[in-house]
Amino acid sequence: MKKLAFLLTTLFLVLLLAACGGDNASSDSEGSDDSEATGEEAAEEASSNVAAGDAEYTIRASIGLNSEHPQYKGLLKFKEIVEAETDGAVAVETYHSGQLGDDRTAMEALQLGSQEVTVPSTAPVANFIPEYAVFDIPFLFPNEQVADAVLDGEVGTKLLEMLDEQNLVGLAYWENGFRDMSNSTRPIESIADFDGLKIRTMENDLHLAAFRELGANPTPMAFTELFTALQQGTVDGQENPLSTIYLEGFHEVQDYVSNTHHIYTPFVFLVSKPFYDGLPAEYQEILRSAAVEAGQYQREINREANEDYKQGLIDEGVEFTEMSDEAIAEMREAVQPVIEEFSETIGKDLVEEINQAVEDAQ
Ligand code: TK8
């Protein structure tokens, strides 16, 4: 009996070993989930990550608008240039739709060094650097070409340099664009139509003051909250370039759009200073020229599509109002006190300088 038990046990063990051996043999070629193979796989995976990515630095780059917007196409262009020119040593991960937070939150993350790149509107930057409100002067730029000349010229450069003291590096201006009104209450044809309308503005004191002067009831809010606020009727309207109104689907909750073009908003391409300072000079230069080149591309596609966005909104059933010259002149007149008031905060010299630059560019 004992002998039989011994034989059976031995046979069992032999079979068991054979079975394991078989498993091992197959796992070498195909991979399996036994412990030895898992260890090998993990090692293989790690090495293939290095081989595929080979990234020494990873940039998390976020924007507030969605993946349909030229802003995101610009960001993808930036990624393409940087990864190609650094041979993959600098990898760029892109995030849209405020996935990493709204403009202000993302800027704060850059200051802390917990995110590397973001491309906010300049308006919320005025909460960090008051001089940035200079771009919010209503009816400052007559057209995009003048905006380019001023932003890419001395005044724009000077404002990029001011970011340094906020632990940020500004590499280029991109385009958000001329802002137009949308609302769910009535067509805006003249200044009287602003009366009492609840308007969401960006988080910027000059914008708030300007809409008060126009007779509206403005409230500041992060862009990430806006669609829901329009949908739930927390606000009646908002203002943004047609690209945003159309591509973010605001027409689903807004019936009226007027081309007021009251303020031109640039985007500013920001890098975390702690991150930027830690890069080799060669990579800093690549980032700098990539931000400029991607920005030129972004401005181009932003402008090309403007007519399509307008037609798109009309096709979606929006009532589109072309503002008359008189109505615009009236708006311009109404917001004049705001420009005077904010010239103090911005600095009178800077206001004069930008007005001169606008004149020179025409
Ligand atoms: C997107 C914003 C947006 C701006 C706004 O992050 O907040 O209305 O116009 O484009 O920067």
Side-chain angles (χ1 to χ4, degrees):
M1 269 316 265
K2 263 190 185 170
K3 215 176 182 181
L4 184 63
F6 174 71
L7 274 173
L8 281 174
T9 311
T10 310
L11 184 67
F12 177 70
L13 281 172
V14 168
L15 284 172
L16 187 72
L17 281 172
C20 285
D23 255 351
N24 273 343
S26 77
S27 75
D28 283 343
S29 53
E30 294 162 28
S32 91
D33 53 8
D34 80 21
S35 63
E36 233 181 294
T38 305
E40 273 171 34
E41 266 174 31
E44 215 176 280
E45 218 180 86
S47 69
S48 75
N49 272 343
V50 174
D54 225 6
E56 291 167 54
Y57 302 92
T58 300
I59 291 177
R60 283 156 298 181
S62 78
I63 56 161
L65 298 175
N66 67 26
S67 59
E68 296 299 309
H69 198 279
Q71 189 189 25
Y72 191 64
K73 310 224 158 95
L75 200 62
L76 291 178
K77 175 68 79 184
F78 172 79
K79 171 187 168 74
E80 183 190 309
I81 300 170
V82 168
E83 290 182 348
E85 290 192 0
T86 63
D87 281 325
V90 180
V92 182
E93 288 172 4
T94 58
Y95 300 87
H96 55 81
S97 309
Q99 286 163 326
L100 299 187
D102 57 54
D103 285 356
R104 193 171 37 80
T105 313
M107 267 185 275
E108 283 163 1
L110 260 59
Q111 291 180 309
L112 296 170
S114 57
Q115 187 185 321
E116 293 72 29
V117 162
T118 191
V119 195
S121 290
T122 52
V125 181
N127 296 311
F128 298 77
I129 304 166
E131 285 88 343
Y132 266 74
V134 77
F135 298 130
D136 299 305
I137 294 176
F139 305 104
L140 175 68
F141 297 135
N143 56 49
E144 286 106 347
Q145 287 64 41
V146 171
D148 288 355
V150 174
L151 292 164
D152 300 342
E154 261 175 56
V155 178
T157 307
K158 186 166 159 174
L159 273 114
L160 287 183
E161 284 163 3
M162 288 180 190
L163 290 157
D164 187 78
E165 71 202 39
Q166 285 293 325
N167 226 12
L168 299 166
V169 180
L171 296 187
Y173 294 99
W174 290 13
E175 178 171 272
N176 191 345
F178 284 105
R179 310 183 74 83
D180 291 331
M181 291 300 311
S182 78
N183 83 96
S184 58
T185 308
R186 56 179 168 255
I188 293 179
E189 290 165 353
S190 76
I191 196 170
D193 299 317
F194 281 95
D195 191 41
L197 278 189
K198 281 183 280 170
I199 302 291
R200 172 270 178 178
T201 70
M202 290 188 282
E203 296 168 290
N204 177 289
D205 291 340
L206 196 155
H207 280 247
L208 270 174
F211 280 96
R212 278 198 203 101
E213 289 296 338
L214 292 171
N217 180 6
T219 171
M221 193 185 289
F223 186 78
T224 43
E225 322 267 311
L226 180 52
F227 189 89
T228 311
L230 293 170
Q231 193 171 39
Q232 297 183 342
T234 317
V235 291
D236 305 314
Q238 66 88 45
E239 37 85 61
N240 252 300
L242 294 183
S243 54
T244 299
I245 299 176
Y246 181 65
L247 296 172
E248 297 280 336
F250 287 175
H251 49 83
E252 287 165 25
V253 287
Q254 300 277 273
D255 297 327
Y256 308 100
V257 175
S258 300
N259 62 348
T260 48
H261 272 42
H262 48 280
I263 291 170
Y264 177 94
T265 302
F267 284 131
V268 58
F269 192 102
L270 302 177
V271 187
S272 161
K273 186 168 152 60
F275 172 76
Y276 189 83
D277 288 349
L279 287 176
E282 181 200 348
Y283 293 167
Q284 291 180 341
E285 218 17 75
I286 289 174
L287 257 58
R288 188 171 287 278
S289 59
V292 172
E293 195 184 324
Q296 277 155 357
Y297 166 75
Q298 188 271 344
R299 281 172 173 172
E300 227 169 83
I301 57 174
N302 208 43
R303 287 163 199 181
E304 267 171 17
N306 268 332
E307 277 304 308
D308 296 345
Y309 301 138
K310 178 177 160 185
Q311 194 51 49
L313 287 169
I314 293 168
D315 292 348
E316 292 292 337
V318 157
E319 186 176 329
F320 195 92
T321 304
E322 302 278 353
M323 297 295 286
S324 69
D325 292 346
E326 302 80 68
I328 295 294
E330 224 188 341
M331 284 177 70
R332 195 190 272 268
E333 178 76 27
V335 296
Q336 209 49 47
V338 175
I339 302 175
E340 272 144 43
E341 181 194 336
F342 278 82
S343 293
E344 301 288 340
T345 353
I346 297 168
K348 287 207 157 78
D349 290 350
L350 183 56
V351 174
E352 250 168 56
E353 214 176 313
I354 204 161
N355 283 328
Q356 189 59 49
V358 167
E359 221 171 276
D360 293 348
Q362 303 197 50

